[in-house]
Amino acid sequence: MSAAQETIRSGRVEPAGLKHYSERVVKFLSSVRFGVGMLILLVVLSMIGMLIIQQNVNGFDAYYASLTPAERTVYSALGFFDIYNSWYYNVLLLILSLNIVLASMDHFPAAWAYIRNPKKTATKDWLKAQKDNAVVHIYADSHDEAADKVKRAFAANGMKPTVSETEMRTYGVDAAGQKDFSKIETVRQVTVFGQRGKWNRIGAYIVHVSLLTLFLGHFVANQTGFDADVRMIPGDATDKIQMIQFDLDRKEKFDVQLPFTMTCTDIEQRLIDQRRSIDVTNTLDWRTQMRVDDPEYGSVLADISMNKPFNYRGYRFFQAQTIPMGSARSMTLRAVPEDGGESIPFELPRLGTHTLADGTIVEYEEFLPDFAFNAQGNPDTRTGDYNNPVAVLGVTPPGGERERVFAFTGTVADGLPVGNAKAGYRWRMDAFEKAPFAHVLSIKYDPYNGAFIAWYFGGFGLMGALAFVFFFSHRRAWAVVEQGPDGRYEITMGGHANRNQLGFSDKFKRMVANVEGREVSDENET
């Protein structure tokens, strides 16, 4: 019939042309070329996500302000500010996953056949057509003895040998060169087969599974969780984090309610040299301590360092950066009696309180790294550097009212009214431990451990699978053993590898030499 021919399938009439079209579509979707194209597009989109700072990432506000109005509109319309959660990124992951599944279904049966049903026999002509082949003649008392020599040669070179035995019929030739069927002989043929690394045949499919796991973990993490930053200032508590989203060029902020309250109790910056600034180049580690108060599970203390994140109820806290405004974690202070006498040294932690021997209560209020008076005449700091540090204290003498005092370093305040005696003492600061004003923690919410699945199973599995695929190979060798007319045994050998054929060629030369009973040096192998 013509193109209008119809076939009946499952009780339904289906045009033959439609079947042909659907098969072409499936073949295209499962092709390696299509998969590589999708993978390249995924890499390009991921690079855009790295080059364009994503929303809810620290520093995004400054980046967004640096863009022109046209750039903001275009980037927002294309979803570049949140590209990993965009619809087209997820559709691309879905299509690439479909390609991987279809390609695996198409090619896996053939790869599995190498493992389940290996080719254990071969003809001499087929072996001579292999890139690595040789014909060896040896003396032996029997087929079995000759085959044993081959088996030992294979085993000595890492091949696991098996022996197959068949009977071959040969025909005589008459004077005209035609087969003479009256001269039929049965010849015993023994084939030794050896192989190594057969599981390498499915290495590509382990890569496929790892990629699918990576994609699935990424999708689950993006759909069920979020990333955000939170500023941790000692003494501050919050049960919300602020998220940002963009609708074209409109920036919208909204709060996300947490099921617990976070209270920052301490921040520390471990410096290489205490005399230098608190910038990154002078830092060994950042440490943030906070208390989590959960109405359902009680209180938990968390200690978060650069290489020590904190996990709690699907939330993962990382060190992101510091607010480089100078502050102090602890101070060594001195109270000098106004009417004379020995000064009284004492330690005061940030947010701490100390009581002098006479009952005077000293409380920490704030730390100003570069003291100055602002335009309104109030104490302030010019910069975040430690140019003129001062500790601002609240002092309550016994039976008196609370006063605000300033403890400068050395005698810098002797000529200033703010350095005058208050509450019966002159207040001085001898030393302090440098620390930033605040730390910024990155919070990743991942209730189903999608990121864990993606990176640990998908990511590390992918690296292991790629190493298995490219650094190992499936090597196969055959040897057909037949007895020649001169009483010697003719051994026709051949083999190949699916990767690193040059390495297999060296191994093949060694096997041939072992069968012949001679040694091959490394120089001869290469």
Side-chain angles (χ1 to χ4, degrees):
M1 299 178 69
S2 65
Q5 178 184 6
E6 296 180 340
T7 58
I8 300 177
R9 176 176 294 180
S10 301
R12 184 178 59 185
V13 178
E14 182 178 313
L18 181 60
K19 175 186 174 183
H20 176 67
Y21 178 77
S22 62
E23 288 177 348
R24 290 182 61 184
V25 170
V26 171
K27 185 176 180 180
F28 173 74
L29 290 175
S30 63
S31 65
V32 175
R33 181 178 298 179
F34 177 73
V36 171
M38 292 294 100
L39 194 59
I40 292 174
L41 184 57
L42 183 68
V43 170
V44 171
L45 292 179
S46 299
M47 289 180 65
I48 292 174
M50 289 187 293
L51 296 174
I52 296 178
I53 298 178
Q54 301 293 284
Q55 65 186 42
N56 295 319
V57 173
N58 192 64
F60 177 78
D61 286 344
Y63 172 75
Y64 186 79
S66 68
L67 300 176
T68 65
E71 288 174 330
R72 296 175 189 173
T73 302
V74 172
Y75 289 178
S76 296
L78 295 177
F80 284 175
F81 292 135
D82 194 19
I83 196 168
Y84 302 114
N85 289 314
S86 62
W87 67 268
Y88 54 83
Y89 194 89
N90 289 321
V91 168
L92 181 59
L93 286 180
L94 178 62
I95 294 174
L96 185 56
S97 300
L98 179 62
N99 169 263
I100 292 173
V101 171
L102 292 176
S104 299
M105 292 173 60
D106 191 23
H107 298 286
F108 182 78
W112 182 248
Y114 283 99
I115 299 171
R116 187 181 180 90
N117 299 307
K119 176 181 173 62
K120 295 183 178 181
T121 60
T123 63
K124 293 193 294 184
D125 292 338
W126 186 79
L127 291 178
K128 291 177 181 178
Q130 301 302 307
K131 183 176 181 180
D132 291 296
N133 66 86
V135 178
V136 178
H137 294 88
I138 63 172
Y139 288 101
D141 293 335
S142 64
H143 278 83
D144 293 337
E145 183 180 339
D148 283 341
K149 287 187 177 182
V150 177
K151 287 174 61 179
R152 288 195 297 271
F154 281 10
N157 290 276
M159 298 281 193
K160 184 178 180 180
T162 58
V163 179
S164 302
E165 188 173 323
T166 56
E167 291 185 351
M168 304 291 294
R169 286 189 176 186
T170 61
Y171 303 92
V173 181
D174 57 20
Q178 301 296 320
K179 289 183 179 181
D180 187 351
F181 292 98
S182 63
K183 299 178 180 180
I184 300 176
E185 294 183 3
T186 301
V187 178
R188 182 186 178 192
Q189 178 178 294
V190 175
T191 304
V192 181
F193 167 66
Q195 66 174 339
R196 181 179 182 179
K198 64 181 180 180
W199 293 104
N200 183 262
R201 292 287 180 175
I202 62 170
Y205 305 100
I206 301 177
V207 173
H208 291 177
V209 172
S210 300
L211 280 173
L212 291 174
T213 304
L214 193 64
F215 296 162
L216 177 62
H218 168 83
F219 180 79
V220 170
N222 278 348
Q223 294 302 310
T224 62
F226 57 79
D227 293 291
D229 290 336
V230 61
R231 179 180 295 189
M232 303 300 290
I233 302 174
D236 283 5
T238 182
D239 60 354
K240 296 181 177 67
I241 54 176
Q242 191 174 75
M243 303 286 289
I244 302 173
Q245 70 178 10
F246 282 81
D247 183 8
L248 292 182
D249 60 344
R250 295 195 307 275
K251 176 180 175 181
E252 300 175 356
K253 294 184 178 182
F254 61 96
D255 289 333
V256 175
Q257 181 69 48
L258 299 176
F260 49 81
T261 300
M262 302 177 296
T263 302
C264 180
T265 58
D266 188 22
I267 61 173
E268 178 184 4
Q269 188 163 347
R270 296 173 183 171
L271 301 177
I272 299 173
D273 186 349
Q274 284 287 340
R275 295 168 298 180
R276 294 169 52 196
S277 64
I278 57 172
D279 60 20
V280 176
T281 59
N282 189 38
T283 301
L284 292 172
D285 195 7
W286 289 277
R287 172 179 165 269
T288 303
Q289 190 177 77
M290 70 176 183
R291 186 181 70 250
V292 176
D293 296 308
D294 193 324
E296 186 173 353
Y297 297 101
S299 296
V300 178
L301 289 178
D303 202 337
I304 306 160
S305 301
M306 285 296 293
N307 296 314
K308 185 184 174 184
F310 172 63
N311 293 295
Y312 185 76
R313 294 186 62 177
Y315 295 84
R316 190 171 177 84
F317 298 82
F318 303 88
Q319 286 287 352
Q321 70 168 41
T322 68
I323 304 300
M325 172 70 70
S327 186
R329 182 168 178 256
S330 64
M331 292 141 283
T332 301
L333 301 171
R334 183 163 39 92
V336 183
E338 183 180 9
D339 55 1
E342 294 186 3
S343 61
I344 306 170
F346 62 94
E347 297 288 330
L348 184 67
R350 178 175 46 199
L351 305 181
T353 302
H354 181 81
T355 303
L356 301 182
D358 64 355
T360 299
I361 299 174
V362 183
E363 300 174 85
Y364 171 88
E365 283 194 7
E366 64 177 325
F367 185 93
L368 302 174
D370 191 6
F371 177 82
F373 289 103
N374 59 25
Q376 290 74 34
N378 297 320
D380 203 348
T381 182
R382 280 187 294 256
T383 67
D385 298 326
Y386 296 97
N387 296 324
N388 186 21
V390 60
V392 184
L393 311 172
V395 178
T396 307
E401 295 184 355
R402 192 175 190 272
E403 296 185 70
R404 194 182 196 200
V405 303
F406 297 84
F408 288 85
T409 57
T411 59
V412 69
D414 284 347
L416 298 177
V418 292
N420 293 338
K422 288 186 178 182
Y425 297 93
R426 292 181 182 273
W427 304 90
R428 296 293 180 263
M429 180 167 57
D430 293 334
F432 56 90
E433 180 185 348
K434 294 178 179 179
F437 171 73
H439 280 175
V440 176
L441 295 183
S442 177
I443 303 178
K444 184 172 185 61
Y445 179 54
D446 189 8
Y448 299 104
N449 291 317
F452 176 85
I453 294 171
W455 294 114
Y456 285 87
F457 290 95
F460 290 116
L462 180 61
M463 289 188 288
L466 289 174
F468 178 65
V469 167
F470 290 108
F471 292 100
F472 298 90
S473 62
H474 183 199
R475 300 178 176 185
R476 299 190 296 170
W478 295 262
V480 173
V481 181
E482 289 183 348
Q483 187 174 21
D486 58 355
R488 293 188 300 171
Y489 282 87
E490 181 182 87
I491 301 176
T492 306
M493 301 175 64
H496 59 256
N498 65 334
R499 291 181 184 85
N500 190 17
Q501 186 66 32
L502 290 176
F504 175 78
S505 297
D506 294 339
K507 188 70 69 176
F508 185 81
K509 292 175 184 178
R510 185 179 288 276
M511 289 190 291
V512 171
N514 292 156
V515 172
E516 292 177 336
R518 59 185 176 85
E519 295 293 331
V520 176
S521 64
D522 293 338
E523 290 79 5
N524 290 334
E525 280 193 73
T526 56

